[in-house]
Amino acid sequence: MDTIPFAFYGRVSTEDNQDPRSSRNWQITRSRALIESRGGVIVAEFFDIDKSRSIPWPRRPHAAALLAELRNPNRGFDAVVIGEPHRAFYGNQYGLTIPVFEHFGIPLWVPEVGGPIDPNNEAHDLVMSVFGGMSKGERNRIKVRVRSAISAQAQMEGRFLGGRPPYGYRLADAGPHPNPAKAADGKRQHRLELDEFAAAVVAGIFREFLEGHGLYAIAERLTADGVPSPSAHDPERNRHRSGIAWAKSAVRAIITNPRYTGHQVWNRQRKDEVLIDIDDVGLGHTTKLRWNSSEKWVWSDDIVHPPIVSAEDFNAVQELLTGRGGQQTGRRLKTASHPYILRGLIFCGACDRRMQGNWSNEAPYYRCRFPEEYALANRIMHPRNVYVREDMIVPKLDRWLGRLFAPHRVDETLDLLVEAQKIESSEHEGLVLARRLLAECDRKLAQHRAALEAGADPVVVAGWIRDEQAKKVQAEARLRREPARRRRLSRDDLAEAMRTVGDAVRLLGTAEPIRKARLYTKLGVRLTYHPSKQKVLVSSTSDQDSMGETNVSEGGLEPPCPSLGTSTSS
């Protein structure tokens, strides 16, 4: 009997709920039981771990690798076997995938039909479609059960459901986990207890708002008084934030959080699955967090942790906020959606924060409103508004990338990349010193907060805190500006990376906005707009290889439109 080489495909959802090794073993055992009596032997394996079944094959790493290997005439296998189609296909994924196997003449074997699937057999097609529907139904049933259980835990038990505690509270141990299996693993239950210093700040924020002070005025007062912002108060859990000043968004988040009344409140947000591309539904969905109206919130029946404000004061604040044109319970959903090619990729050179997309005069802009969001009572100098138009950047970025990765400039670009690695190595010592300074600032800030709680003069301590926060900001800015140190690559490694990147760059000129945005992301593009120079610095860093950095163009960007230009007013 001739031997038939097979590729095996399998999938396991999460490492938390299932053992990937055990799942892979039983799926491959089931596959071998099907093919070995026919002379089949597995010579290649493709196994996705921690990938939801709802993710289409082209977006699963190993499933995508299998589909790509089908195109390889020297692939090394003549058939594919799936031990559990219920795990491999979801919804209509079978109908979108089997034509690819049929096109390349690769039979797909599954135990449910006792051998290879016949695409022209209606019974086979029905069986596989049923399994896709069952897989989708099982996932939906799990979601309903989980949401129902969490809702009951919040309402009837008032249980703390995880996540970071709200500013004003800290976590306290509440005994063994109620689930016996988790308790046996040493997991504990938690509850909220007051953080006296932060709780007093929260109470003061509610009081000031009820007295008529605005969000920005409250943020200004807190910053001027040297009160650490929520991210500065708990820097270990907020390493992604600078903590240099209070933001009015932080004040708003506090006064709209119902948990300060002592009740557990769940379902303020929900996860919606939305199409990635409405013109290409085969790409599947992505999950987005959205805010629910207060009518959909789930409140605990009883007060389950120490309240900071009364329910009456909380409701009064919501009514006052609504009367000012603010949001009573959450954030309004945007009614219009515009494509932003550089979303998440462009940063402000003055503060190193991501710039926000803004549609104005039928054109996309990016803006940084740091002073409008954060209190000005700090030592950071920043223009009032920073605007830059998208169409001033994208064409020049495409031309720059095209020149950089053009075939006739390969050697020149490789020289730039090699030199960039040398520069990165020489700057590593400065990064080490910045990290040491950051750690020292955190240590001193903790000491100052302890002194404040012990009864030291608040005015003196506030001065100490401001000095240390200023030093910390400088150190954090240095760390954010510099890429993480990576393994230095050989010239051959860089040449191979350039070949892959060059293939993507050649698609930029004709790509649609959504696909162009994905290509920029794959290239690891990061843009930093310097308003004082009106230039953009671009760096390109792939997942594995540092690609160096240089200016987008020799002449820089043209000045923005005067009406929406960079304002230097304070």
Side-chain angles (χ1 to χ4, degrees), residues 167 197-198 201 219 222-223 226-235 238 241-247 250 254 374 449 465 469:
Y167 177 74
F197 175 80
V201 174
L222 291 170
T223 305
V227 178
S229 66
S231 55
H233 182 70
D234 188 7
N238 294 276
R241 299 185 183 274
S242 64
I244 60 176
W246 277 82
I254 288 173
Y374 286 81
R449 284 194 291 270
I465 290 176
Q469 284 181 334

Side-chain angles (χ1 to χ4, degrees), residues 26 46 162 188 195 234 343 371:
W26 72 256
F46 300 86
R188 311 285 293 180
D195 178 337
D234 188 7
R343 183 191 297 274

Side-chain angles (χ1 to χ4, degrees), residues 2-49:
D2 294 336
T3 300
I4 305 174
F6 275 80
F8 159 76
Y9 177 73
R11 184 197 64 83
V12 62
S13 58
T14 63
E15 294 189 53
D16 292 334
N17 299 325
Q18 302 178 53
D19 176 10
R21 179 178 298 179
S22 297
S23 181
R24 175 259 180 198
N25 288 343
W26 72 256
Q27 290 183 54
I28 202 169
T29 298
R30 196 163 186 249
S31 300
R32 285 172 176 160
L34 173 65
I35 66 174
E36 286 182 348
S37 61
R38 316 280 186 89
V41 59
I42 294 176
V43 298
E45 294 185 22
F46 300 86
F47 193 75
D48 279 308
I49 298 176

Side-chain angles (χ1 to χ4, degrees), residues 154-165:
Q155 181 177 358
M156 302 174 67
E157 303 176 33
R159 186 188 301 183
F160 176 72
L161 299 173
R164 74 176 61 209

Side-chain angles (χ1 to χ4, degrees), residues 201-215 217-218 221 251 255 313 316-318 320-321 324:
V201 174
V202 171
I205 289 174
F206 275 89
R207 183 173 57 254
E208 288 187 46
F209 193 81
L210 286 172
E211 291 172 353
H213 297 280
L215 302 178
I218 295 173
R221 197 273 302 169
V251 177
I255 65 174
D313 283 348
V317 165
Q318 307 317 302
L320 183 58
L321 187 61
R324 293 184 182 181

